[in-house]
Amino acid sequence: MHATECATQPCITLAMVDALYDKEGTIQRIVRGMFTGIYSLTTSREPLNEQASDMAADLFVAKYGNECTLYAMMLYFGNYLTEYKACYCQYDVQDILRQFGKFLPRWRQRLAENEQPQQVKEAAQPAGVEGLKMMLRNRLYDGETAEQLKEGYLYTAGIVTDEMLTEAVQAVKDGIIY
């Protein structure tokens, strides 16, 4: 339900969990619980092979622990049966491990989308045409003449117009600089 928020919030990786809780094996128990949860939702008549689930949890942490966050793990295991599994009849730890490889590119894309550069904050001073007009007023105030400004590149390139120069001259006469 909150997949987008999971990708935007900071979260530790699986490899960090044991150190954070200062208890070895914590993450393996958490991941093992995810595998057991998937088993409980299947219609498999075979008893849960706990040794296979333990091994799969260890493999999952070993292979993906440095990249997979707790949020990514929850999203993957929570959506495994609906997005990555064709039927509910089998419990296949190998498939669970393999399908995570298909989940990872989608997760990375979500992360990349959220790492887009933040919009540039508005400038403290005017920009664009207003900034140009302000620059003209400042240069006129500092002693340049309208004729001198007409010799510059901005005027010859058509960026500064006669109308802009006339406005700037009048503004400086009126005491408007900024």
Side-chain angles (χ1 to χ4, degrees), residues 5 10 20 40 48 65 78 84-85 99 101-102 104-105 126 129 167:
E5 290 86 352
L20 183 67
S40 68
L48 175 65
Y84 301 100
K85 186 77 172 155
Q99 294 297 336
K102 293 180 182 176
L104 261 181
V129 174
E167 267 184 45

Side-chain angles (χ1 to χ4, degrees), residues 7 10 32 40 53 57 60 70 89-90 128 137 147-148 163:
R32 192 176 308 121
S40 68
S53 293
F60 188 88
L70 289 171
C89 60
Q90 286 184 335
R137 290 189 304 263
E147 295 306 312
Q148 288 172 318
E163 183 181 311

Side-chain angles (χ1 to χ4, degrees), residues 7 9-10 13 15 22 26 34 38 41 43 63 72 77 79 103 112 133 166:
Q9 300 301 314
T13 64
D22 198 25
T26 301
M34 296 292 174
I38 289 175
L41 294 172
T43 57
K63 186 167 185 175
F77 281 98
N79 290 318
F103 167 83
K133 289 179 181 179
T166 304

Side-chain angles (χ1 to χ4, degrees), residues 94-112:
Q94 186 177 8
D95 185 61
I96 296 169
L97 291 168
R98 185 176 42 252
Q99 294 297 336
F100 189 77
K102 293 180 182 176
F103 167 83
L104 261 181
R106 293 171 59 192
W107 178 252
R108 288 177 187 143
Q109 182 179 358
R110 271 191 180 154
L111 292 176

Side-chain angles (χ1 to χ4, degrees), residues 5 19 36-37 44 49 54 65 73 97 115 135 139 152 163 167 175:
E5 290 86 352
T36 305
S44 178
N49 182 339
D54 291 349
M73 178 193 65
L97 291 168
E115 290 176 358
M135 186 259 323
R139 289 178 69 178
E163 183 181 311
E167 267 184 45

Side-chain angles (χ1 to χ4, degrees), residues 18-32:
D18 287 355
L20 183 67
Y21 288 98
D22 198 25
K23 188 161 185 181
E24 195 171 321
T26 301
I27 194 58
Q28 277 80 2
R29 284 192 295 282
I30 292 170
V31 175
R32 192 176 308 121

Side-chain angles (χ1 to χ4, degrees), residues 136 139-140 144-153 155 165:
L136 292 173
R139 289 178 69 178
L140 288 167
E144 283 189 65
T145 64
E147 295 306 312
Q148 288 172 318
L149 291 173
K150 285 183 180 182
E151 293 172 7
Y153 173 78
Y155 183 83
L165 283 172

